[in-house]
Amino acid sequence: MSDSSTEQPAPYGSGPAAASAPPTRRVRTHHLREMKQRGEKFTMLTAYEQYAAQTFDEAGIDVLLVGDSASNNVYGNETSLPVTVDELIPLTRAVSRSARRALVVADLPFGSYQASPEQAYLTGVRFMKEAGAHAVKLEGGLPMVPQVRKLTEGGIPVMAHIGFTPQSEHALGGYRVQGRGAAADRVVEEAQALESAGAFAVVMEMVPGDVAGEVTKSVGIPTIGIGAGVDCDGQVLVWQDAFGLRTGRMAKFVKQYADVHGVLLEAAREYAADVKAQTFPGPEHTF
Ligand code: KIV
């Protein structure tokens, strides 16, 4: 029998949900709340495509966030501001198709929800219907309470995001810690108002550790920290930062667990050298 008549593995990937981990029970919003009640920490990472989503899901990461940070980590923009709903929907669809256990949260991008609760609801519906998201995330404190209420009353679970909110980078005067000194009470007040409006969790970004601890004690919903210390109920990082695909200056709150850039760089150089030296493809790669 010739080689060409023997069935080969799919040459360009095998489609979604091919991870090796056995299917487990889907993480739901109430599981995160129960983990908080048990004092058990949970994990969230960003994911924007199939293989990262499958890998993090297999690793037991509880929540995958299709962040608007895709703007800077997928689409090559300098900030999160330019990314659109139409750009984030296909990424969210890839992640929700690929994660069998994790709760998949889609970020609502800048300009897609701030105008009114109705605008927020219609955008949220797109992420749930077209992209298979399990929940949405939006940035902002007290002014976003009506949006959170509208979404949750309409059946869309909402993760809130307070402290430093990257979509307001220009309004906040750059990347600055929020909630220091007298502003601490405001962070507590915002988290409580968002909880009352129906948010199932709240991200706190670049908030002093003691303030984040105070917020965590003052609400029943789980808090998720990024640059907000160890007392939050869960932690989130952008994966390209945490695992070293992105190089350059990192925020103080990033711990780097791997050097994926270095691994890819070395592999690409080796491949190029092999092709030039005609040592790839070898006989074992040839039909
Ligand atoms: O878009 C994002 O990646 C985020 C995280 C930083 C929480 O909002």
Side-chain angles (χ1 to χ4, degrees), residues 119-134:
Q119 186 202 25
Y121 187 70
L122 293 174
T123 306
V125 165
R126 285 199 65 193
F127 278 97
M128 306 292 282
K129 281 174 92 96
E130 296 176 37
H134 307 139

Side-chain angles (χ1 to χ4, degrees), residues 44 46 48 65-70 73 80 107 137 139 161 166 203 205 226 236-238 253:
M44 173 158 116
T46 61
Y48 316 99
L65 171 67
V66 189
D68 62 348
S69 52
N73 288 292
S80 63
D107 235 348
K137 177 168 85 57
E139 295 183 6
H161 183 159
V203 170
E205 181 163 354
I226 173 160
V236 57
L237 284 173
V238 170
F253 57 75

Side-chain angles (χ1 to χ4, degrees), residues 16-227:
S20 56
T24 25
R25 206 162 57 128
R26 173 74 67 189
V27 176
R28 304 281 185 180
T29 58
H30 69 88
H31 293 134
L32 303 181
R33 188 187 262 268
E34 287 155 17
M35 285 165 96
K36 175 184 178 110
Q37 286 161 356
R38 289 198 299 270
E40 186 183 333
K41 303 288 182 184
F42 63 85
T43 50
M44 173 158 116
L45 279 173
T46 61
Y48 316 99
E49 45 73 40
Q50 174 187 343
Y51 291 118
Q54 283 179 354
T55 305
F56 303 157
D57 196 47
E58 188 179 339
I61 300 300
D62 301 298
V63 184
L64 296 181
L65 171 67
V66 189
D68 62 348
S69 52
S71 185
N72 349 23
N73 288 292
V74 174
Y75 288 111
N77 299 310
E78 275 199 10
T79 71
S80 63
L81 298 187
V83 81
T84 65
V85 171
D86 286 339
E87 287 173 325
L88 288 182
I89 282 194
L91 308 189
T92 306
R93 193 182 295 128
V95 171
S96 61
R97 279 179 181 158
S98 304
R100 294 197 288 180
R101 174 183 172 275
L103 181 81
V104 176
V105 180
D107 235 348
L108 302 188
F110 179 60
S112 72
Y113 62 92
Q114 289 92 341
S116 66
E118 289 69 28
Q119 186 202 25
Y121 187 70
L122 293 174
T123 306
V125 165
R126 285 199 65 193
F127 278 97
M128 306 292 282
K129 281 174 92 96
E130 296 176 37
H134 307 139
V136 301
K137 177 168 85 57
L138 55 76
E139 295 183 6
L142 300 181
M144 288 304 114
V145 162
Q147 273 78 341
V148 173
R149 188 167 292 118
K150 178 80 180 169
L151 284 156
T152 53
E153 284 177 0
I156 301 178
V158 180
M159 179 180 282
H161 183 159
I162 57 175
F164 178 74
T165 44
Q167 293 176 15
S168 306
E169 172 187 336
H170 301 298
L172 295 172
Y175 274 70
R176 290 161 180 270
V177 174
Q178 305 292 312
R180 280 203 167 117
D185 288 347
R186 168 98 180 174
V187 184
V188 175
E189 190 194 345
E190 284 174 340
Q192 289 175 338
L194 291 160
E195 174 178 32
S196 299
F200 73 87
V202 58
V203 170
M204 282 187 280
E205 181 163 354
M206 296 212 305
V207 170
D210 57 338
V211 177
E214 210 39 59
V215 172
T216 301
K217 277 193 266 166
S218 78
V219 290
I221 57 173
T223 61
I224 304 168
I226 173 160

